[in-house]
Amino acid sequence: WKPALELLATPRDGGRVLTTSLEYQGDRQRLNFGLRFLGGAAAYRAGAHIAVQMLTSRLPPTLRKAAATLSNLVMLAVCGFIVVWGTNLCIGTWGQSLDTLPWMPVGVTYAALPLGSLFTALFVLEHMAFGSMARRPLVAFGEPGADFEQEAA
Protein backbone atom coordinates (compact mmCIF):
# COMPACT_ATOMS: atom_id res chain seq x y z
CA TRP A 1 0.00 0.00 0.00
CA LYS A 2 1.30 3.44 -0.93
CA PRO A 3 -0.05 6.82 0.16
CA ALA A 4 -2.01 8.68 -2.46
CA LEU A 5 -0.86 11.97 -3.95
CA GLU A 6 -3.42 14.61 -4.73
CA LEU A 7 -3.23 17.59 -7.02
CA LEU A 8 -5.24 20.38 -5.47
CA ALA A 9 -6.61 22.87 -7.96
CA THR A 10 -7.85 25.99 -6.21
CA PRO A 11 -8.15 29.50 -7.65
CA ARG A 12 -6.04 30.99 -4.85
CA ASP A 13 -2.84 29.14 -5.76
CA GLY A 14 -3.42 28.83 -9.49
CA GLY A 15 -3.96 25.06 -9.25
CA ARG A 16 -0.27 24.21 -8.92
CA VAL A 17 -0.09 22.78 -5.39
CA LEU A 18 0.89 19.13 -5.02
CA THR A 19 0.16 17.70 -1.58
CA THR A 20 0.09 14.29 0.01
CA SER A 21 -3.08 12.92 1.46
CA LEU A 22 -1.63 11.46 4.67
CA GLU A 23 -4.20 12.70 7.19
CA TYR A 24 -5.66 9.26 7.70
CA GLN A 25 -2.36 7.34 7.85
CA GLY A 26 -2.01 7.37 11.64
CA ASP A 27 -5.59 6.22 12.12
CA ARG A 28 -5.23 3.48 9.50
CA GLN A 29 -2.03 2.26 11.11
CA ARG A 30 -3.65 2.12 14.55
CA LEU A 31 -6.53 0.04 13.20
CA ASN A 32 -4.23 -2.28 11.22
CA PHE A 33 -1.98 -2.70 14.26
CA GLY A 34 -4.97 -3.89 16.24
CA LEU A 35 -5.88 -6.49 13.66
CA ARG A 36 -2.31 -7.75 13.58
CA PHE A 37 -2.16 -7.97 17.36
CA LEU A 38 -5.32 -10.08 17.51
CA GLY A 39 -3.99 -12.19 14.64
CA GLY A 40 -0.84 -12.90 16.65
CA ALA A 41 -2.91 -14.66 19.30
CA ALA A 42 -4.58 -16.82 16.67
CA ALA A 43 -1.21 -17.59 15.07
CA TYR A 44 0.21 -18.63 18.44
CA ARG A 45 -2.63 -21.07 19.00
CA ALA A 46 -2.30 -22.49 15.49
CA GLY A 47 1.43 -23.04 16.03
CA ALA A 48 2.24 -20.69 13.13
CA HIS A 49 4.06 -18.03 15.14
CA ILE A 50 7.70 -18.59 14.23
CA ALA A 51 9.25 -16.94 17.28
CA VAL A 52 7.57 -19.30 19.75
CA GLN A 53 9.59 -22.41 18.85
CA MET A 54 12.54 -20.93 17.00
CA LEU A 55 14.98 -21.33 19.90
CA THR A 56 13.50 -24.33 21.70
CA SER A 57 13.52 -26.56 18.60
CA ARG A 58 17.29 -26.13 18.23
CA LEU A 59 18.15 -27.27 21.76
CA PRO A 60 19.09 -30.82 22.76
CA PRO A 61 16.10 -32.89 23.89
CA THR A 62 17.13 -32.73 27.56
CA LEU A 63 16.87 -28.93 27.62
CA ARG A 64 13.80 -28.57 25.38
CA LYS A 65 11.22 -29.10 28.09
CA ALA A 66 12.85 -26.62 30.49
CA ALA A 67 13.27 -24.06 27.70
CA ALA A 68 9.66 -24.52 26.60
CA THR A 69 8.44 -23.96 30.17
CA LEU A 70 10.64 -20.89 30.52
CA SER A 71 9.39 -19.62 27.15
CA ASN A 72 5.77 -20.05 28.26
CA LEU A 73 6.42 -18.23 31.54
CA VAL A 74 8.09 -15.35 29.71
CA MET A 75 5.13 -15.20 27.30
CA LEU A 76 2.74 -15.02 30.27
CA ALA A 77 4.78 -12.23 31.86
CA VAL A 78 4.85 -10.21 28.63
CA CYS A 79 1.12 -10.76 28.10
CA GLY A 80 0.39 -9.64 31.65
CA PHE A 81 2.48 -6.50 31.17
CA ILE A 82 0.68 -5.63 27.93
CA VAL A 83 -2.76 -6.34 29.43
CA VAL A 84 -2.09 -3.92 32.30
CA TRP A 85 -0.39 -1.15 30.34
CA GLY A 86 -2.59 -1.62 27.26
CA THR A 87 -5.67 -1.18 29.43
CA ASN A 88 -4.16 1.98 30.92
CA LEU A 89 -3.48 3.25 27.39
CA CYS A 90 -7.08 2.58 26.35
CA ILE A 91 -8.45 4.38 29.39
CA GLY A 92 -6.05 7.29 28.94
CA THR A 93 -6.95 7.85 25.29
CA TRP A 94 -10.68 7.19 25.53
CA GLY A 95 -11.53 10.91 25.56
CA GLN A 96 -9.66 11.57 22.29
CA SER A 97 -11.19 10.96 18.89
CA LEU A 98 -9.71 9.91 15.58
CA ASP A 99 -9.22 12.62 12.97
CA THR A 100 -10.88 10.66 10.20
CA LEU A 101 -13.58 9.00 12.34
CA PRO A 102 -14.54 11.61 14.94
CA TRP A 103 -17.22 9.37 16.46
CA MET A 104 -14.63 6.68 17.40
CA PRO A 105 -12.50 7.11 20.54
CA VAL A 106 -8.78 6.48 20.13
CA GLY A 107 -9.01 4.04 23.03
CA VAL A 108 -11.06 1.68 20.85
CA THR A 109 -8.18 1.38 18.38
CA TYR A 110 -5.80 0.47 21.22
CA ALA A 111 -8.20 -2.08 22.73
CA ALA A 112 -6.57 -4.81 20.65
CA LEU A 113 -3.45 -4.64 22.83
CA PRO A 114 -5.03 -5.87 26.08
CA LEU A 115 -7.53 -8.12 24.28
CA GLY A 116 -4.92 -9.76 22.05
CA SER A 117 -2.60 -10.22 25.03
CA LEU A 118 -5.40 -11.72 27.11
CA PHE A 119 -6.22 -14.21 24.34
CA THR A 120 -2.54 -15.03 23.91
CA ALA A 121 -2.17 -15.62 27.65
CA LEU A 122 -5.19 -17.93 27.61
CA PHE A 123 -3.71 -19.83 24.66
CA VAL A 124 -0.35 -20.14 26.47
CA LEU A 125 -2.12 -21.56 29.53
CA GLU A 126 -4.07 -23.91 27.25
CA HIS A 127 -0.81 -25.01 25.63
CA MET A 128 0.80 -25.61 29.04
CA ALA A 129 -2.19 -27.61 30.35
CA PHE A 130 -3.32 -29.56 27.28
CA GLY A 131 -0.44 -29.42 24.79
CA SER A 132 -0.34 -27.89 21.36
CA MET A 133 -3.61 -27.13 19.62
CA ALA A 134 -1.90 -26.69 16.24
CA ARG A 135 -3.42 -29.88 14.79
CA ARG A 136 -7.01 -29.40 15.95
CA PRO A 137 -9.46 -29.15 13.04
CA LEU A 138 -10.57 -25.68 14.08
CA VAL A 139 -7.10 -24.13 14.06
CA ALA A 140 -5.09 -26.35 11.71
CA PHE A 141 -3.68 -25.03 8.46
CA GLY A 142 -4.02 -27.18 5.37
CA GLU A 143 -5.99 -30.44 5.55
CA PRO A 144 -8.49 -29.90 8.41
CA GLY A 145 -8.02 -32.37 11.22
CA ALA A 146 -6.05 -35.02 9.35
CA ASP A 147 -3.11 -35.19 11.77
CA PHE A 148 -5.22 -34.61 14.89
CA GLU A 149 -7.58 -37.51 14.11
CA GLN A 150 -4.64 -39.89 13.53
CA GLU A 151 -3.00 -38.92 16.84
CA ALA A 152 -6.28 -39.26 18.75
CA ALA A 153 -6.80 -42.83 17.45
Side-chain angles (χ1 to χ4, degrees), residues 14 18 45 52 54 65 98 105 115 118 146 148:
L18 185 67
R45 187 173 194 215
V52 173
M54 188 171 69
K65 187 170 183 169
L98 297 174
L115 289 175
L118 184 63
F148 186 74

Side-chain angles (χ1 to χ4, degrees), residues 28 33 93-94 96 115 121 137:
R28 184 187 61 80
F33 174 74
T93 57
W94 201 265
Q96 302 171 18
L115 289 175

Side-chain angles (χ1 to χ4, degrees), residues 12-139:
R12 187 170 52 173
D13 57 18
R16 295 186 308 252
V17 177
L18 185 67
T19 65
T20 57
S21 148
L22 298 175
E23 176 183 320
Y24 58 91
Q25 291 301 310
D27 297 341
R28 184 187 61 80
Q29 289 174 353
R30 277 188 208 102
L31 293 170
N32 283 347
F33 174 74
L35 295 175
R36 288 183 183 128
F37 211 85
L38 290 173
Y44 178 86
R45 187 173 194 215
H49 201 282
I50 190 167
V52 173
Q53 295 178 356
M54 188 171 69
L55 293 174
T56 57
S57 64
R58 299 197 186 323
L59 291 173
T62 54
L63 295 177
R64 265 189 209 151
K65 187 170 183 169
T69 302
L70 178 65
S71 172
N72 287 330
L73 293 174
V74 169
M75 285 285 291
L76 286 173
V78 169
C79 287
F81 177 83
I82 297 174
V83 166
V84 170
W85 290 102
T87 302
N88 289 338
L89 179 65
C90 289
I91 293 169
T93 57
W94 201 265
Q96 302 171 18
S97 64
L98 297 174
D99 293 334
T100 54
L101 300 170
W103 52 268
M104 181 182 285
V106 173
V108 170
T109 63
Y110 291 131
L113 279 101
L115 289 175
S117 294
L118 184 63
F119 288 139
T120 303
L122 291 174
F123 294 151
V124 169
L125 291 172
E126 176 186 54
H127 180 80
M128 291 172 75
F130 304 112
S132 176
M133 296 291 137
R135 294 193 175 109
R136 286 190 60 207
L138 185 60
V139 296

